[in-house]
Amino acid sequence: MSIFFAGRVITQLDDATLQDPILLTKMFIDNEFVESETNEWIDLPNPATNEIITRVPKCTQAEMQRAVESCERAFEQWSTTTVLTRQQHMFKLQQLLRENMKKIAANITEEQGKTLVDAEGDVLRGLQVVEHCCSITSLQLGETLPGVAKDMDIVSYRLPLGVTAGITPFNFPAMIPLWMFPMALVTGNTMLLKPSERDPGATMMIMDLVREAGFPAGTVNVIHGAHDAVNFVCDNPLIRAISFVGSDQAGTYIYNRGSKNGKRVQSNMGAKNHGVIMPDANKEATLNALAGAAFGAAGQRCMALTTVVWVGESKEWIPELIERAKKLKVNVGTDPKADLGPLISPQAKERVEKLIESGQKDGCKVLLDGRGVKVEGYEKGNFVGPTVLHGVQPNMECYKEEIFGPVLCSMEADTLDDAINLINGNPYGNGTAIFTTNGATAHKYTQKIDVGQVGINVPIPVPLPMFSFTGSRGSFRGDTHFYGKQGIQFYTQVKTVTQLWRGEDVSHSTASTAMPV
Ligand code: NAD
């Protein structure tokens, strides 16, 4: 049963293997859902069944050009709209998102696979960015300094850049587009969005709400595709800035290509997040937090806690962690009792299983093996159950790679310093957490750890939007982060005005060639 909404059109294709009509995903240009004229389509299967639920176009160059030109036209009007009008649009979008949260979540479960409750969290974390944008009247304030010289003041304004672009990954189909276009629009920019070709449905449903909220045509347009669409965004001269979230490979490529073309680029990439368990931690709370953060969303979160470092005696808790992990229910995301759903694709499943195998070959103990898990009624789904590899070493493939599945790498350290050295030696810097009841230990960890987002007894420390998402080192390229103050900075440029308003008669002044001081 597929979900019908404005972003898809029912089309019967000449494909004997498909019994039902297939819904083609549309583009969104000038506030209209438009069918692509391309000949190239990407099949989008439901990860729990592998039945095709929609086909996503690889938009043609002409379609993408039309979309970016629409953004350029809309910018002229939108950038001069009052800040209060932009704020009112955000209030409306906020209300509509809240009202439609469950519908969007259902689409996410259908296209991406995560459980319904987790999918609602996906929408909610994006909605919080929209709520933050509603404070734009304070967020976009510039600076002033009166009296820098006699009768002279300096004023700086934060002004929009122009047309911006967003390229998003599959794992948060609502949250990540919502990290991008609301911040871009509320600061007066327009945006060309290219959602993940693997689950663009949530973006399309949100576009329906954008239109309903009264955003003028062209303020945000959506194109679809893979590499060609990405290259279009990186090369198009109308686009001033690119926000990217996704894998290292794509992120590095987009950062390099976009920057080379003179664009501002922010690029959030992969991760290997470590949880450090001190022996003085609250055992029950820590093991529950760890099980949830390692295996939730089937490990397909950039902030999943994928590596545990047991310091000293805390390793004695491993059997209890395994017991908790065993209790997690693997099932289709629509089952209210499911704790984790399927992986995004058969290829992702195969890759995760190969990484488990490589860990085993490298000498890890597979304390819990999620390979071969069977889900009744969903035998063709991409399911992998919670898996724990113990005895992982830094030189192993399973440690060096971001697994992006429900696989916990388990390591031991004698001391806190050893744990810190291990983590600081890993190239990624997205997130980490320490579990302890000792404030001094937590303080030391916070000071010494070279990771951009730290949780103290908080397993997934994703900052709320009044702060910014500050992944560091190998997890980020660029210098200004997503949402919060840094998001405002990313989408604005500063114009500084030095003004002299002298009341007395200045007509008798003389020319001076010296540098004004
Ligand atoms: P992905 O890189 O495969 O896809 C992201 C986007 O890039 C898509 O729109 C896709 O069309 C495009 N793309 C894919 N391959 C490309 C290539 N070779 N060249 C140019 N463009 C390409 O990422 P994904 O698999 O959809 O998402 C999972 C990854 O995203 C993980 O590595 C995860 O850690 C990361 N992620 C990071 C954050 C963060 O904030 N750091 C958040 C979510 C996801």
Side-chain angles (χ1 to χ4, degrees):
M1 215 329 244
S2 284
I3 298 160
F4 289 76
F5 57 92
R8 291 184 190 161
V9 58
I10 306 171
T11 305
Q12 182 72 61
L13 295 176
D14 303 333
D15 187 336
T17 60
L18 299 166
Q19 288 166 2
D20 296 324
I22 281 286
L23 304 169
L24 299 182
T25 294
K26 296 190 196 179
M27 305 176 286
F28 184 73
I29 303 177
D30 279 329
N31 273 357
E32 299 292 338
F33 291 98
V34 187
E35 198 173 335
S36 172
E37 290 181 353
T38 186
N39 297 322
E40 292 183 89
W41 295 85
I42 303 163
D43 284 346
L44 192 158
N46 178 331
T49 60
N50 277 310
E51 281 166 15
I52 308 297
I53 46 179
T54 180
R55 282 180 169 167
V56 181
K58 287 188 181 173
C59 292
T60 66
Q61 292 291 325
E63 288 165 347
M64 295 191 283
Q65 187 61 30
R66 182 185 153 199
V68 78
E69 283 173 9
S70 152
C71 287
E72 172 79 352
R73 269 195 312 279
F75 178 71
E76 274 182 41
Q77 289 289 317
W78 181 245
S79 56
T80 56
T81 315
T82 71
V83 67
L84 294 180
T85 304
R86 300 202 301 270
Q87 185 190 38
Q88 287 303 321
H89 282 90
M90 280 296 148
F91 282 136
K92 187 73 185 150
L93 181 62
Q94 187 274 348
Q95 177 203 345
L96 290 168
L97 279 167
R98 202 166 270 285
E99 285 169 11
N100 288 277
M101 192 141 65
K102 283 199 186 303
K103 264 200 268 177
I104 300 170
N107 172 271
I108 292 174
T109 298
E110 187 192 34
E111 290 191 0
Q112 198 272 359
K114 65 177 75 173
T115 64
L116 281 171
V117 59
D118 196 30
E120 274 188 49
D122 189 330
V123 186
L124 184 68
R125 291 306 297 252
L127 172 63
Q128 287 169 339
V129 177
V130 176
E131 288 173 346
H132 182 65
C133 286
C134 292
S135 311
I136 190 61
T137 43
S138 325
L139 298 174
Q140 209 174 340
L141 289 174
E143 294 174 335
T144 63
L145 186 63
V148 291
K150 185 169 181 308
D151 300 326
M152 188 181 282
D153 305 332
I154 302 188
V155 179
S156 75
Y157 300 100
R158 287 214 157 267
L159 300 172
L161 300 171
V163 181
T164 62
I167 301 172
T168 66
F170 81 85
N171 66 329
F172 282 98
M175 178 182 83
I176 291 178
L178 288 167
W179 282 5
M180 298 178 182
F181 82 82
M183 296 288 304
L185 266 52
V186 84
T187 45
N189 301 280
T190 56
M191 180 170 265
L192 182 69
L193 203 52
K194 193 213 81 66
S196 171
E197 64 278 24
R198 299 196 265 181
D199 50 15
T203 293
M204 303 317 287
M205 293 175 95
I206 293 169
M207 287 308 115
D208 221 3
L209 308 182
V210 162
R211 182 167 65 173
E212 200 180 333
F215 286 89
T219 47
V220 52
N221 290 319
V222 181
I223 56 168
H224 300 289
H227 294 67
D228 286 351
V230 166
N231 287 339
F232 177 87
V233 167
C234 292
D235 296 345
N236 192 283
L238 295 178
I239 294 170
R240 297 283 309 277
I242 305 173
S243 297
F244 169 82
V245 179
S247 65
D248 295 353
Q249 195 195 3
T252 307
Y253 175 81
I254 291 167
Y255 181 82
N256 290 341
R257 190 157 174 161
S259 307
K260 200 166 154 222
N261 286 324
K263 299 179 201 311
R264 201 178 269 198
V265 186
Q266 55 178 185
S267 184
N268 269 13
M269 304 185 294
K272 196 86 180 174
N273 308 310
H274 299 70
V276 173
I277 317 292
M278 300 303 292
D280 63 18
N282 178 311
K283 187 172 77 174
E284 294 302 311
T286 300
L287 295 180
N288 286 335
L290 181 57
F295 306 118
Q300 297 179 120
R301 289 183 185 136
C302 67
M303 287 289 279
L305 212 50
T306 53
T307 307
V308 55
V309 186
W310 308 98
V311 176
E313 302 301 299
S314 71
K315 61 178 173 288
E316 288 168 13
W317 302 347
I318 294 174
E320 286 180 67
L321 174 77
I322 304 293
E323 285 316 305
R324 276 174 176 76
K326 272 186 191 163
K327 285 189 189 136
L328 295 175
K329 195 169 167 202
V330 183
N331 208 334
V332 58
T334 47
D335 177 352
K337 292 202 189 114
D339 293 302
L340 49 153
L343 294 174
I344 187 69
S345 63
Q347 295 76 16
K349 177 180 169 177
E350 192 185 329
R351 181 178 166 275
V352 168
E353 288 182 343
K354 275 203 178 131
L355 282 164
I356 299 171
E357 197 183 311
S358 84
Q360 198 170 18
K361 277 197 190 135
D362 288 340
C364 297
K365 279 193 193 141
V366 187
L367 298 182
L368 184 63
D369 193 346
R371 287 172 292 183
V373 69
K374 293 271 175 290
V375 175
E376 211 183 313
Y378 295 92
E379 286 76 11
K380 291 191 178 153
N382 315 316
F383 295 97
V384 176
T387 300
V388 179
L389 290 174
H390 184 66
V392 171
Q393 298 299 323
N395 61 349
M396 293 180 183
E397 203 62 22
C398 62
Y399 181 76
K400 289 193 281 186
E401 288 280 318
E402 180 187 35
I403 300 179
F404 229 53
V407 182
L408 180 66
C409 292
S410 170
M411 307 175 89
E412 292 180 23
D414 291 335
T415 65
L416 177 63
D417 285 322
D418 291 342
I420 291 171
N421 290 338
L422 167 79
I423 298 164
N424 287 349
N426 186 286
Y428 290 113
N430 217 32
T432 185
I434 185 164
F435 295 87
T436 179
T437 48
N438 184 318
T441 302
H443 185 257
K444 176 177 174 179
Y445 188 73
T446 309
Q447 298 288 308
K448 301 257 177 208
I449 206 72
D450 191 5
V451 173
Q453 304 179 105
V454 182
I456 298 171
N457 300 316
V458 173
I460 304 186
V462 177
L464 283 165
M466 59 294 277
F467 294 88
S468 300
F469 189 101
T470 53
S472 64
R473 295 197 283 137
S475 299
F476 177 67
R477 287 199 180 211
D479 55 7
T480 317
H481 289 280
F482 281 84
Y483 62 75
K485 279 194 191 123
Q486 299 206 19
I488 299 284
Q489 278 171 28
F490 183 78
Y491 291 118
T492 55
Q493 54 192 335
V494 178
K495 183 183 278 180
T496 310
V497 180
T498 305
Q499 48 190 2
L500 176 68
W501 293 108
R502 197 154 276 175
E504 65 210 47
D505 184 6
V506 288
S507 49
H508 301 298
S509 56
T510 52
S512 168
T513 53
M515 179 69 188
V517 288

